[in-house]
Structures are given as C-alpha cells and as structure tokens.
Amino acid sequence: MDIAVETRALRRVYRSRSQEVVALDGVDLRVARGLRYGVLGPNGAGKTTLIKILVTLLLPSSGEAYVDGLDVVHQFRELRHRIAMVSGGENVGFGMLKVKEQLWMFSQFYGMPSAAARRRIDELLERLGLTEASNRLVSALSSGMRQKMNLIRGLMTDPRILFLDEPTVALDVSAARDVRDEVRRWMGEDPTRTVILTTHYLSLIHI
C-alpha cells in the first residue's frame, strides 16, 4: 500500500509556567495515497495541532511523522513544495489587494512561473465562480468568496496532498457545496491526490 501520511507515537505537549496540556498523545496514523481521509473530533481534540505538525508549521514533542514519504522535521523544505493547507475562516494576505493580485502574489511566493500562474489562476477562478470578482478587493469579499479564494490558493500549485482544516466553517450551504464539489473534482483529475480533512461535523467526512 502506497502511504501518503504516516505518524508513529506522535505526541505534542504545550507547556507554560503553570500548566502542561497534552494535545496529542501517541497518535499512530496511516493514510493511503488517493484517499479523502477525515479526522473527526470536537473542538480542542487536537485536530489542528495534528495538521500543523503534518504541514511543518509545528514541531512534535516526540514521535515521528512522514508526509509523502518525507520526514516533517528533517525534510520540511522539500516537503513544502508537495503540500498545501487551507483553513476555514482564515484571512490570508492583504485586504487592500484585488483577488487576482493576491493570488498572483502567492503564486510568486511558491515560485511558480508567472505565465503559468496566471493561466492557473484564471482557470480556478472560473471553476469556482469567482471570475467576476477577480478585480474586487479582498476586503470586500463575503466569507464564502474568501474561502473559495483560499481554496484556489491551496490548489494553485497542484499539491500532492491537500490539508483542509474545517474548510466549510461559517459558510452558507451554497458556498460549502461549491468548496466540496471542487475538492472532489480536483481529486478526480488524478487518482494519486490525497486530502486530509479535519472537522467536527460527521457529515463533512464524506466531502
């Protein structure tokens, strides 16, 4: 079985002067490539902590974690070119920029060739119904439009593994459906693509 994500005895402890909080306590996880895998649990269960470790934003206290065959601690630079993360309700970037300007800016952060980035941005804007909003200020977007823009940012580089942390939180039914439909379509284009989804809604496990 080709493994996309694996953790072994993964542990994360937050410490302060007065207390110690165990967010993850010996997590063993194996996710096969090509799956939509749901991490279900209530708020405070450690879902976001797990995702942040897997996308190299947070170091584990102990244990091991591998994503796309790479160690998240020692091979994080190489790994970051293969993954993307989208969180629900996040305000990423600069509100004074227009939608297309902001997406192009992120494409340059990722090192995409400019012409290819512009083609990819236009394609994804059309697929998610944001073409008419492409010249609108990010600060003027609704929460649903902003989350679609965030998803475009995540899909722009065609990652091998996409991490979605509560991707439809605070979205209306229509916007949430559009996000789910695009994730399904993106996975359908390449059977090796993998999605790791965190949520506290059981229904979203079937995104």
Side-chain angles (χ1 to χ4, degrees):
M1 181 172 60
D2 193 5
I3 302 299
V5 174
E6 182 174 10
T7 68
R8 302 170 188 165
L10 193 66
R11 182 176 171 86
R12 173 67 196 195
V13 180
Y14 295 97
R15 294 184 175 91
S16 67
R17 291 182 179 179
S18 60
Q19 64 177 340
E20 179 180 285
V21 177
V22 179
L24 300 175
D25 191 10
V27 175
D28 293 313
L29 175 68
R30 297 185 85 199
V31 180
R33 194 175 303 280
L35 292 184
R36 291 190 299 270
Y37 187 90
V39 180
L40 178 67
N43 291 332
K47 302 185 302 298
T48 297
T49 295
L50 174 62
I51 293 298
K52 285 185 175 180
I53 290 174
L54 295 177
V55 299
T56 76
L57 295 179
L58 190 66
L59 289 171
S61 300
S62 62
E64 300 172 275
Y66 301 89
V67 176
D68 204 30
L70 299 176
D71 186 307
V72 300
V73 175
H74 299 106
Q75 297 173 290
F76 63 92
R77 288 186 178 88
E78 183 180 354
L79 175 58
R80 286 174 179 172
H81 293 287
R82 305 186 186 187
I83 61 176
M85 176 181 177
V86 178
S87 297
E90 64 179 335
N91 292 312
V92 176
F94 303 91
M96 76 284 290
L97 294 179
K98 296 176 181 178
V99 171
K100 188 176 284 190
E101 291 173 338
Q102 176 140 296
L103 291 170
W104 183 84
M105 177 186 71
F106 275 103
S107 77
Q108 300 311 288
F109 291 163
Y110 298 141
M112 294 181 68
S114 190
R118 294 186 190 280
R119 286 194 300 271
R120 182 64 172 157
I121 289 167
D122 286 342
E123 174 192 353
L124 289 169
L125 285 169
E126 182 176 356
R127 281 167 54 155
L128 278 156
L130 287 184
T131 300
E132 292 185 2
S134 63
N135 290 312
R136 189 179 301 180
L137 290 175
V138 172
S139 59
L141 296 179
S142 67
S143 59
M145 287 181 172
R146 188 176 298 112
Q147 187 62 356
K148 288 180 182 180
M149 182 191 69
N150 291 338
L151 181 60
I152 289 172
R153 174 180 53 79
L155 297 178
M156 203 157 44
T157 58
D158 283 328
R160 294 168 62 86
I161 303 171
L162 177 65
F163 294 87
L164 302 175
D165 188 20
E166 302 282 5
T168 59
V169 65
L171 299 188
D172 61 35
V173 173
S174 177
R177 183 177 60 247
D178 289 345
V179 169
R180 291 194 296 268
D181 288 348
E182 181 56 31
V183 171
R184 291 191 190 100
R185 180 165 49 201
W186 175 77
M187 290 193 71
E189 293 172 347
D190 184 341
T192 69
R193 289 172 174 167
T194 305
V195 169
I196 310 294
L197 165 75
T198 73
T199 183
H200 55 275
Y201 294 113
L202 181 61
S203 61
L204 290 187
I205 293 295
H206 304 290
I207 189 171

